[in-house]
Amino acid sequence: MSKKLGGPCRAPNPEVGCEPGGVVNIRPCKQLVADLPPLAPGDILLHGHTHVPAWTDFGQGNLYLNPGSVSIPKENTAHSYMTMEGSTACWKTMEGACYHQLQL
């Protein structure tokens, strides 16, 4: 489908989760998933708190999207943002160039 970058659990050990600011959280990823809002199959979770661009499948046909960060990007990613035009999500550099596109 697409290159996967980022995701809800980005800790070095898959049994551990992450807190804001990259602080490792001792809650298992299963608990992080359990803490998500109620999602129906096919729902999209748009979350920008990690400052890491992401487009990742999870759950029951769900999609996790993260626009990245215009001010404080993490994990050596570029300053970026995401736009939605119709059913197309586009991750863009600060110059406006689209570096990843996803048809929803």
Side-chain angles (χ1 to χ4, degrees):
M1 178 176 130
S2 63
K3 178 180 176 186
K4 294 184 180 187
L5 180 67
C9 291
R10 300 273 303 158
N13 178 337
E15 293 301 312
V16 179
C18 294
E19 293 255 329
V23 176
V24 174
N25 180 334
I26 59 171
R27 292 183 303 162
C29 288
K30 289 177 187 173
Q31 181 61 45
L32 292 175
V33 171
D35 290 343
L36 290 174
L39 297 172
D43 279 353
I44 295 172
L45 175 63
L46 178 60
H47 185 273
H49 196 70
T50 65
H51 295 238
V52 179
W55 45 91
T56 303
D57 298 309
F58 76 99
Q60 298 178 11
N62 300 106
L63 187 59
Y64 167 76
L65 303 179
N66 191 312
S69 175
V70 296
S71 60
I72 308 170
K74 304 284 179 153
E75 297 187 20
N76 296 318
T77 60
H79 294 258
S80 65
Y81 62 99
M82 186 181 79
T83 61
M84 288 290 298
E85 297 175 26
S87 62
T88 303
C90 184
W91 283 257
K92 296 184 178 185
T93 65
M94 295 308 293
E95 292 75 33
C98 183
Y99 68 87
H100 181 75
Q101 204 169 3
L102 182 64
Q103 188 66 41
L104 304 174

